[in-house]
Amino acid sequence: MSDSSRDTAQGAGWGSAERGAYQRLMPGHVEKLSWLNPKTLWAARNGVLASWFGDPTGRTRGRWVALREAAGAPADKVVRREVPDRFSFMVLGDTGEGDASQYAVVPGFLKVGQDTEFAVIASDVIYPVGSADDYGDKFFRPYRDYQAPIYAIPGNHDWYEDLGAFMRVFCADTPPLDPGPRPRPLTRAWWRARLWHRPGPTDEQRLAAARQLRAAPAQRAEQPGPYWAIDAGPVRIVGIDTGLLGTVDAEQGAWLREVSRGPMPKILITGSPLYVDAEHHPCPIEGGGTVDDIVRAPEHRYVAAIGGDIHNYQRYPVDVDGRLVQYVVAGGGGAFMHATHTIPRVSVAGVTERDFRCYPLRGDSLAFYSRLYGRRLRLPRFFDLTEAEATAVVSERLGVEPGRAPSPGARVTRRARLVADLLGAARRPERAARFRLPVRKIYTQLFSPSSTTYSPPFFKCFLRLDVTPDAVRLRCFAATGNRAQELDPPVEDEVVIPLR
């Protein structure tokens, strides 16, 4: 087994290394996606409009579900797969940028997933706005050699064109919705409709050609709607759609309560993680209650909740009345990397730093960003931190043991401390109060989205879950973009989850 980032800097992808073969999988021309481009931001405006003028996704989702049921989809939205009691499946999150950071994941994903029954994409299949014309290079092409079905739950970006392309690709070519009644003039709904981004015409030939890349019978998957459950062997996998704003409508909430009943162990997959960045986000359900209330109820027997949306890996083993539920963030499947060095010292729901896991390690995250902004601001001599310097300064600031043994002679200099301040590195709770700047929010909304890079290490990841009647073995594998990690993807985290 190859070294992981917890073993050596080389295992993290640092140092001179042979570039991976992923570049051969990419299309000849790759359009660079910039999240600071005004054109991209304007196209992706629907999330902001929903927060200002009211979120219409619950009503729209209900219409999509009704359309699928009228076409014969099962009312309980359960896919029943005939698999052995011992089987494996893959999980990827936030995949669809279509650039090097997405394709760098593919070789390792194919190698680790070659004997798995199916895969699930957890959130944001297609960036920036879920357009049908983008599915070729951002879904069908990268996963054309994965010889098993792929299911998906939509993320907020898939909703930026009202989920039309997602429903066509994953839900039996569902036809578009009719426009519906016009809102009364000058109401909030009227202003929202006037400003709403809507899909343009689809290039049908382009989409048809893209579908042929995953046309083998073994690759085909048809799901009953944007939310669903899969019964496979001894477990039920429940996928929910949290729409534009990370919430669940009343109709989906009632379905979730119903499908969660019964003694079968369950794994939740959601577009919005319930624990992330050392905070609890229980996900409200319209009409009352939360998704996490359902996960925590002992009679529902949830053993894990896996969420996308945030583009890294995090794991929180939470004790819920004497049983452990593994809350996982798994959004590192292809988009820009959200910083982990901004995550504060973990103390949430009884989970401490000793229990918490993340990838990339905070020190590697800080080193990545220091080099990125050193290049972009043309100040490498000031900004650039070695991985050893970054690891040491993060350890000092948080008062925790480093995730990787420090290199001999690694020192924390005044420059390293200043760079860590400028790049938003978290501090110990007792010292953080002195620094009121909302650096984590700035990083999530501004700096992280501009962090797309086109050379390794990428710090991407994916999950493999091996299921038996007694347990689920969950492993997080790294994808750095280097050839060594393509040939033997390192395991960054592993946990065995009891089912009995």
Side-chain angles (χ1 to χ4, degrees):
M1 183 180 295
S2 63
D3 284 349
S4 74
S5 68
R6 293 180 174 273
D7 299 316
T8 63
Q10 290 72 27
W14 298 114
S16 58
E18 179 185 356
R19 184 77 65 92
Y22 67 88
Q23 296 172 100
R24 299 178 210 151
L25 306 175
M26 298 174 67
H29 172 72
V30 177
E31 183 178 350
K32 293 184 178 181
L33 177 61
S34 170
W35 290 104
L36 299 183
N37 184 323
K39 182 179 178 181
T40 302
L41 294 174
W42 178 243
R45 64 188 178 271
N46 286 359
V48 175
L49 295 176
S51 65
W52 288 354
F53 300 112
D55 184 1
T57 55
R59 290 189 299 276
T60 304
R61 184 187 295 115
R63 295 173 66 203
W64 282 123
V65 168
L67 202 59
R68 287 292 290 129
E69 289 184 1
D76 64 2
K77 301 169 188 62
V78 178
V79 177
R80 293 170 174 87
R81 291 194 58 85
E82 295 296 327
V83 302
D85 280 348
R86 298 173 182 269
F87 76 98
S88 302
F89 69 100
M90 306 292 285
V91 177
L92 291 150
D94 300 84
T95 53
E97 279 200 356
D99 54 17
S101 64
Q102 177 177 9
Y103 280 84
V105 178
V106 174
F109 169 78
L110 294 177
K111 184 176 180 65
V112 173
Q114 59 187 344
D115 62 341
T116 53
E117 294 286 340
F118 57 88
V120 178
I121 296 179
S123 181
D124 291 343
V125 181
I126 301 295
Y127 292 102
V129 294
S131 170
D133 288 349
D134 286 336
Y135 266 85
D137 288 344
K138 298 180 181 181
F139 174 71
F140 289 107
R141 184 186 183 99
Y143 310 120
R144 60 184 174 180
D145 292 327
Y146 179 65
Q147 299 300 317
I150 298 177
Y151 300 93
I153 56 167
N156 57 313
H157 288 268
D158 300 304
W159 269 101
Y160 287 161
E161 291 195 349
D162 292 331
L163 212 62
F166 181 97
M167 295 297 294
R168 290 196 63 180
V169 170
F170 292 101
C171 302
D173 216 7
T174 305
L177 295 172
D178 63 70
R182 293 183 178 179
R184 288 185 294 111
L186 301 181
T187 60
R188 294 173 73 205
W190 182 85
W191 284 110
R192 183 181 64 220
R194 296 280 291 181
L195 296 170
W196 200 252
H197 170 78
R198 301 189 187 281
T202 298
D203 185 333
E204 296 295 341
Q205 284 188 320
R206 182 175 177 178
L207 181 58
R211 288 182 188 272
Q212 292 305 307
L213 297 173
R214 281 189 51 82
Q219 295 176 311
R220 293 176 187 163
E222 182 180 312
Q223 58 191 60
Y227 57 92
W228 41 259
I230 299 173
D231 282 354
V235 298
R236 170 170 284 183
I237 302 155
V238 180
I240 62 170
D241 169 19
T242 55
L244 283 170
L245 301 181
T247 60
V248 168
D249 63 278
E251 180 182 348
Q252 184 181 185
W255 169 84
L256 178 60
R257 291 185 176 97
E258 181 64 30
V259 83
S260 297
R261 292 177 178 171
M264 184 178 285
K266 298 172 187 72
I267 298 169
L268 181 75
I269 299 184
T270 168
S272 300
L274 303 181
Y275 282 87
V276 60
D277 294 348
E279 295 177 351
H280 184 209
H281 297 268
C283 188
I285 297 174
E286 181 187 20
T290 69
V291 170
D292 200 30
D293 291 339
I294 297 172
V295 170
R296 287 170 171 265
E299 65 272 19
H300 294 155
R301 296 202 62 200
Y302 277 93
V303 297
I306 302 171
D309 189 50
I310 300 301
H311 306 165
N312 52 47
Y313 173 82
Q314 302 173 43
R315 181 169 63 84
Y316 301 82
V318 177
D319 186 317
V320 179
D321 298 326
R323 63 189 178 93
L324 276 184
V325 178
Q326 300 290 339
Y327 290 87
V328 176
V329 178
F336 64 84
M337 186 260 283
H338 274 126
T340 58
H341 65 266
T342 59
I343 300 173
R345 183 169 173 166
V346 172
S347 179
V348 60
V351 180
T352 66
E353 279 291 325
R354 184 181 296 275
D355 314 306
F356 170 70
R357 294 291 182 272
C358 71
Y359 176 79
L361 298 175
R362 291 182 179 101
D364 288 331
S365 171
L366 180 58
F368 174 92
Y369 273 89
S370 74
R371 298 179 192 195
L372 177 71
Y373 281 95
R375 289 196 306 271
R376 292 197 174 169
L377 300 176
R378 298 183 180 181
L379 294 170
R381 293 183 63 184
F382 171 71
F383 269 101
D384 283 13
L385 300 178
T386 67
E387 58 274 15
E389 290 175 315
T391 296
V393 74
V394 165
S395 179
E396 178 190 78
R397 290 169 74 91
L398 289 177
V400 299
E401 291 294 319
R404 181 172 61 241
S407 301
R411 296 187 306 113
V412 180
T413 63
R414 291 180 62 186
R415 180 183 69 87
R417 292 188 181 103
L418 179 56
V419 170
D421 274 334
L422 292 173
L423 296 182
R427 291 177 171 270
R428 304 184 200 188
E430 63 269 20
R431 299 185 63 190
R434 304 180 203 170
F435 297 87
R436 297 291 185 181
L437 288 176
V439 290
R440 287 173 56 214
K441 195 166 186 179
I442 291 171
Y443 255 84
T444 299
Q445 298 183 359
L446 180 61
F447 287 170
S448 282
S450 68
S451 71
T452 296
T453 184
Y454 298 94
S455 59
F458 291 110
F459 295 110
K460 303 289 98 186
C461 59
F462 55 90
L463 307 183
R464 175 177 169 131
L465 288 88
D466 302 305
V467 181
T468 73
D470 298 315
V472 175
R473 180 191 187 197
L474 182 153
R475 285 177 289 171
C476 172
F477 290 86
T480 67
N482 290 331
R483 184 63 174 156
Q485 282 89 21
E486 284 184 352
L487 295 172
D488 188 9
V491 177
E492 290 293 334
D493 186 34
E494 178 174 350
V495 62
V496 175
I497 306 168
L499 294 184
R500 295 191 186 275

